[in-house]
Amino acid sequence: MKATQEKEADLGNSSIGKLLFKLALPAILAQIINVMYNMVDRMYIGHIADVGPSALTGVGVTMPLIMAISAFAALVSMGGAPRASIMMGKGDKETAEKILGNCTTMLVLMAAVLTAVILLFGKPILLMFGASDNTIGYAWDYMSIYAMGTIFVQISLGLNAFINAQGYARTGMLTVAIGAVCNIILDPILIFGFDMGVKGAALATILSQAVSFVWVLRFLTSGKSFLRIRKGYLKLSADIILPCIGLGVSPFIMQFTESIISVCFNTSLLKYGGDIAVGAMTIMTSVMQFSMLPLQGLTQGAQPIISFNYGAGNIERVKKTFRLLLASSLVYSTLLWAIAMFLPHVFIAIFTSSAELSAYVTWSIRIYMAASLLFGIQIACQQTFIALGNALTSVFLALLRKVILLIPLIFILPALLPDKVFGVFLAEPVADTIAVTVTGILFLREYKRLSHKKVGMD
């Protein structure tokens, strides 16, 4: 490693506890800040005079499309970044930079395709996703503007993973923080000051992402980064990009299926509970993001340590990092569960001042997040499979919770229970409990075999 890398984090030699804290804390802060992009929009939108609840529900319907955009960034970056870390652990900087260059090109191509698809077909997609006659206007006002900033989202999210993968956690945090601060400042100015309403919230978001976009590109093309974007490595090569996409399928499924799940929840709740149930799901989705994204920040801090040391053959450091990651994740997820169960108004008051909607969320969130304390096990194990380059197992686990369990349960449980809305919300904790049990069993076997496995990429 060059000095620039060592100044940020000595992935192969520093104390695991200090190293995980050094990398994870900025990553966690970055994830919390990242949540603020959408949460701040919803906070302001929910308090727009007269139309706040309807506007909030309309923007909530756009979340599947927004999550899909993020998922495509993860398809490339969350597969490419761990592979780059493993190559750095092996001392192969050239291949690591080829991975970075190929992933950059793929992110640009995907951004162009996604922008075209949303602008051409976005409105009917939003109607299919659960928008009603009362909310489609707000949904399309937001999404039609947001789509124009897809390139900024893809690059800022996608390439920031490569900054974190090198151990530059503070720089990765600043990528998100700069954009979030811009968003917080611009939201009230554009929504209320210029009386743009929902359109103002969308414009504030893409302008903020544009600032993050510039920040990321400047860093990864400068001498401050150990890995740099080089013109000669931008040309796509199947040998480089396909393994990245293969490993990225798991985080892609995890994020993309959130879009599908959101559609399933919204359509079922609209059928059984009306717009107020969809509005409640919008708030609970925001709370769930708050629960999951900081955990993802913790695993992002652990990922370069695990991947680098796995590539270097330091198996004991890999195992020690995982044990610390698991314990930390469980503490956090248990804390979030306790707040949701006993102090739900801490979350609810952020998004709405409507007494009717607040009352609805108060009982439903306790059902929806009943098993959220188990997230610590799920995400620590699943993300470690990715950090180790184990694509097949991580893909299976992503499919298990979302596709095999949760989506069918959203429709099965309401058919079996007299309270249909209760049945829809109950699908989440039932799926979580089964998925965590299977994940824990599979990883226990992997953990016992880890010291006997041949180091390398699957």
Side-chain angles (χ1 to χ4, degrees):
M1 286 285 173
K2 288 185 177 180
T4 52
Q5 174 74 11
E6 294 174 344
K7 286 179 183 179
E8 280 289 337
D10 186 350
L11 301 175
N13 298 294
S14 294
S15 164
I16 294 294
K18 292 180 179 179
L19 189 57
L20 181 58
F21 179 80
K22 181 177 182 179
L23 296 180
L25 182 59
I28 291 170
L29 291 174
Q31 289 297 336
I32 293 174
I33 294 167
N34 190 47
V35 175
M36 295 303 293
Y37 267 110
N38 291 317
M39 286 181 65
V40 168
D41 282 350
R42 295 177 206 178
M43 286 162 57
Y44 283 117
I45 289 169
H47 290 89
I48 295 175
D50 301 324
V51 301
S54 294
L56 178 64
T57 300
V59 173
V61 174
T62 69
M63 286 310 298
L65 276 179
I66 292 172
M67 287 187 288
I69 292 172
S70 298
F72 279 100
L75 176 64
V76 177
S77 63
M78 298 307 290
R83 287 182 61 84
S85 292
I86 292 174
M87 288 302 175
M88 285 192 295
K90 292 182 175 182
D92 190 353
K93 180 182 178 182
E94 181 180 0
T95 300
E97 288 193 331
K98 287 180 179 178
I99 291 171
L100 172 59
N102 272 233
C103 287
T104 301
T105 300
M106 183 58 68
L107 287 167
V108 172
L109 292 175
M110 287 195 306
V113 173
L114 287 169
T115 300
V117 170
I118 294 170
L119 291 177
L120 289 172
F121 307 108
K123 199 166 187 177
I125 290 173
L126 290 171
L127 288 167
M128 182 178 66
F129 281 6
S132 66
D133 292 339
N134 295 327
T135 59
I136 184 60
Y138 301 110
W140 182 238
D141 280 349
Y142 190 92
M143 201 66 225
S144 59
I145 294 176
Y146 186 92
M148 300 303 296
T150 300
I151 181 65
F152 304 137
V153 177
Q154 288 289 294
I155 295 298
S156 60
L157 287 180
L159 294 188
N160 203 41
F162 286 89
I163 294 176
N164 290 323
Q166 297 177 69
Y168 299 112
R170 286 174 294 178
T171 304
M173 179 189 69
L174 286 174
T175 301
V176 182
I178 289 170
V181 169
C182 289
N183 194 41
I184 292 170
I185 294 171
L186 289 172
D187 257 336
I189 294 173
L190 296 177
I191 294 173
F192 301 111
F194 286 85
D195 198 25
M196 293 180 67
V198 169
K199 291 181 179 180
L203 183 58
T205 298
I206 65 169
L207 290 175
S208 302
Q209 289 284 11
V211 175
S212 296
F213 165 89
V214 173
W215 170 270
V216 167
L217 287 181
R218 286 194 64 182
F219 181 81
L220 288 174
T221 54
S222 72
K224 295 180 181 179
S225 177
F226 179 72
L227 300 181
R228 296 175 64 183
I229 299 173
R230 301 183 188 275
K231 185 177 180 181
Y233 297 152
L234 292 174
K235 184 178 180 180
L236 290 177
S237 168
D239 292 343
I240 297 294
I241 196 63
L242 291 182
C244 295
I245 293 175
L247 186 57
V249 168
S250 173
F252 172 78
I253 290 173
M254 290 170 64
Q255 293 191 34
F256 188 80
T257 49
E258 286 292 338
S259 300
I260 301 173
I261 289 167
S262 182
V263 173
C264 294
F265 271 124
N266 285 345
T267 53
S268 293
L269 290 171
L270 186 63
K271 177 181 178 181
Y272 298 124
D275 282 341
I276 190 171
V278 177
M281 179 54 68
T282 299
I283 293 175
M284 289 188 292
T285 300
S286 301
V287 174
M288 188 67 83
Q289 283 182 325
F290 189 79
S291 301
M292 291 297 291
L293 292 180
L295 285 175
Q296 290 177 2
L298 187 60
T299 58
Q300 282 180 13
Q303 178 267 311
I305 307 173
I306 293 173
S307 296
F308 182 93
N309 285 285
Y310 186 64
N314 297 327
I315 300 302
E316 285 306 312
R317 284 178 66 83
V318 172
K319 294 168 74 173
K320 186 175 180 180
T321 303
F322 169 75
R323 291 195 296 267
L324 187 55
L325 171 64
L326 178 62
S328 303
S329 298
L330 271 173
V331 169
Y332 179 80
S333 62
T334 301
L335 176 63
L336 264 294
W337 171 85
I339 295 174
M341 294 302 106
F342 303 110
L343 299 168
H345 284 91
V346 171
F347 295 126
I348 299 169
I350 296 173
F351 298 100
T352 184
S353 55
S354 166
E356 183 183 14
L357 184 56
S358 296
Y360 202 98
V361 179
T362 298
W363 68 264
S364 57
I365 196 171
R366 290 184 171 120
I367 302 165
Y368 183 71
M369 295 190 66
S372 59
L373 77 167
L374 300 175
F375 284 160
I377 300 172
Q378 176 77 18
I379 197 166
C381 294
Q382 189 166 332
Q383 294 299 321
T384 299
F385 275 121
I386 296 172
L388 295 173
N390 190 335
L392 292 178
T393 303
S394 59
V395 168
F396 166 72
L397 293 176
L399 286 171
L400 175 67
R401 177 178 172 265
K402 304 287 187 67
V403 178
I404 299 173
L405 293 172
L406 184 54
I407 292 176
L409 286 170
I410 290 172
F411 300 102
I412 292 171
L413 291 180
L416 299 177
L417 298 174
D419 188 332
K420 307 300 183 185
V421 175
F422 174 84
V424 175
F425 291 133
L426 186 63
E428 181 76 28
V430 172
D432 290 341
T433 302
I434 298 172
V436 169
T437 301
V438 174
T439 299
I441 292 171
L442 289 177
F443 195 85
L444 182 61
R445 293 173 57 191
E446 177 72 12
Y447 185 82
K448 290 179 178 179
R449 292 202 303 259
L450 187 58
S451 59
H452 304 293
K453 293 182 71 173
K454 180 181 179 181
V455 176
M457 305 239 273
D458 292 344

